[in-house]
Amino acid sequence: MPSGRAGSWSLPHVGEENFWGGPTYIHGRFYVQLENNGTQAHRRVVDLDRTDGAATFTHDLDWTTQSGALLFTERRTLRASLISPHAWALTFETRMTNVSGRDVAMGSPTTKGRENAGYGGLFWRGPRSFTGGQFVTEEGMGGDEVRGRRMEWMGFAGRHDETDAQSLVLMLDDTANPSHPPQWFARTEEFACLNPAPFFSEELTVEDGATVRFRYGVGIADAEASAAPALADAVRRVLTPSDTPSARAAESPPGPFATE
């Protein structure tokens, strides 16, 4: 399971392999520890750059099964950008190439039979103090009932220990991602999490030799839930190159998170 206060790219069902860690969901048996816990291993740095108020890191990884077989190669890019004195954005992009010699289906516990448990993909798990926090979407604020619903973005507002300060974390799905807009695995009870899950209820089969791409924008701000729509707009501007027609159509008047 991804650790507290962290984000990860974790996939629980990659063919018969588990790149989430721990036991695998098997319908009728619940979670069973199998010898299928694969490894995402850093291979080499491709690019490391800092320009115009942003830092970019690109590296290559190998996805290797527990038995030692190479399943996927990946090129992953992380880009951190300041968008205001009180907020920053992370752009996450991955390109995964199937080198296994066979077609591979990516799925979730829900595609294997567990209801409303379609987690997998870019997964954020919040600190303990965020437990019981508030989700915010284009439709307003809510609780765990938002799980499984389709939407472009979702935010989570939570409070910190000691200071009682409030922060806002928001994830936005790129329009070119498979299954856009995604179903969301999200929860406030037991622990806080956000996950735009591309394989929530349907598997995605990656043919041998094919490359699948995913891209997300993440916003982190010193703000309350009411600031989520403005933060989503700011993250969208960071995620989408400004010279594309879709970006021009999505432009909105400057708000509290406008890039200076």
Side-chain angles (χ1 to χ4, degrees), residues 199-248:
F199 330 113
F200 192 106
S201 57
E202 294 182 2
E203 290 184 336
L204 174 67
T205 298
V206 184
E207 296 180 353
D208 178 38
T211 298
V212 62
R213 169 186 176 270
F214 295 93
R215 194 162 179 262
Y216 302 91
V218 181
I220 299 94
D222 294 330
E224 298 183 351
S226 60
L231 182 59
D233 286 342
V235 172
R236 189 180 295 109
R237 288 192 291 269
V238 171
L239 187 65
T240 309
S242 59
D243 59 347
T244 65
S246 60
R248 290 194 293 269

Side-chain angles (χ1 to χ4, degrees), residues 50-239:
R50 186 179 67 179
T51 56
D52 299 327
T56 302
F57 175 72
T58 300
H59 66 139
D60 288 342
L61 303 95
D62 289 337
W63 289 54
T64 306
T65 68
Q66 186 169 337
S67 63
L70 181 61
L71 206 62
F72 281 84
T73 58
E74 179 192 4
R75 176 156 294 184
R76 185 181 302 182
T77 298
L78 305 173
R79 186 172 189 266
S81 310
L82 287 174
I83 55 178
S84 87
H86 305 289
W88 65 282
L90 174 71
T91 301
F92 176 95
E93 180 174 352
T94 176
R95 295 175 182 268
M96 297 181 62
T97 301
N98 181 356
V99 296
S100 67
R102 63 186 185 278
D103 296 352
V104 176
M106 298 178 175
S108 72
T110 293
T111 66
K112 299 298 183 182
R114 186 184 177 195
E115 185 178 357
N116 210 23
Y119 57 83
L122 186 63
F123 194 102
W124 168 79
R125 179 168 176 170
R128 182 206 54 76
S129 63
F130 275 38
T131 305
Q134 192 79 50
F135 292 118
V136 56
T137 71
E138 291 178 303
E139 301 172 357
M141 290 183 283
D144 283 350
E145 73 278 358
V146 302
R147 187 187 307 164
R149 296 175 62 182
R150 289 190 181 275
M151 54 193 72
E152 180 191 21
W153 61 266
M154 186 181 295
F156 192 106
R159 293 195 177 277
H160 299 276
D161 285 327
E162 298 179 0
T163 64
D164 199 37
Q166 190 166 10
S167 291
L168 179 65
V169 177
L170 183 143
M171 289 184 169
L172 184 142
D173 194 70
D174 189 276
T175 57
N177 284 348
S179 302
H180 177 84
Q183 290 176 271
W184 287 75
F185 184 82
R187 62 190 308 167
T188 64
E189 299 303 321
E190 295 187 35
F191 58 87
C193 75
L194 282 177
N195 169 215
F199 330 113
F200 192 106
S201 57
E202 294 182 2
E203 290 184 336
L204 174 67
T205 298
V206 184
E207 296 180 353
D208 178 38
T211 298
V212 62
R213 169 186 176 270
F214 295 93
R215 194 162 179 262
Y216 302 91
V218 181
I220 299 94
D222 294 330
E224 298 183 351
S226 60
L231 182 59
D233 286 342
V235 172
R236 189 180 295 109
R237 288 192 291 269
V238 171
L239 187 65

Side-chain angles (χ1 to χ4, degrees), residues 7-71:
S8 63
W9 178 248
S10 300
L11 307 182
H13 293 274
V14 183
E16 299 302 318
E17 308 301 325
N18 180 340
F19 287 89
W20 180 272
T24 297
Y25 179 78
I26 299 178
H27 194 57
R29 298 177 62 191
F30 204 53
Y31 285 90
V32 179
Q33 184 62 58
L34 304 175
E35 293 185 359
N36 69 341
N37 289 155
T39 301
Q40 303 174 29
H42 165 80
R43 183 155 49 91
R44 68 185 183 102
V45 174
V46 176
D47 183 47
L48 182 60
D49 182 62
R50 186 179 67 179
T51 56
D52 299 327
T56 302
F57 175 72
T58 300
H59 66 139
D60 288 342
L61 303 95
D62 289 337
W63 289 54
T64 306
T65 68
Q66 186 169 337
S67 63
L70 181 61
L71 206 62

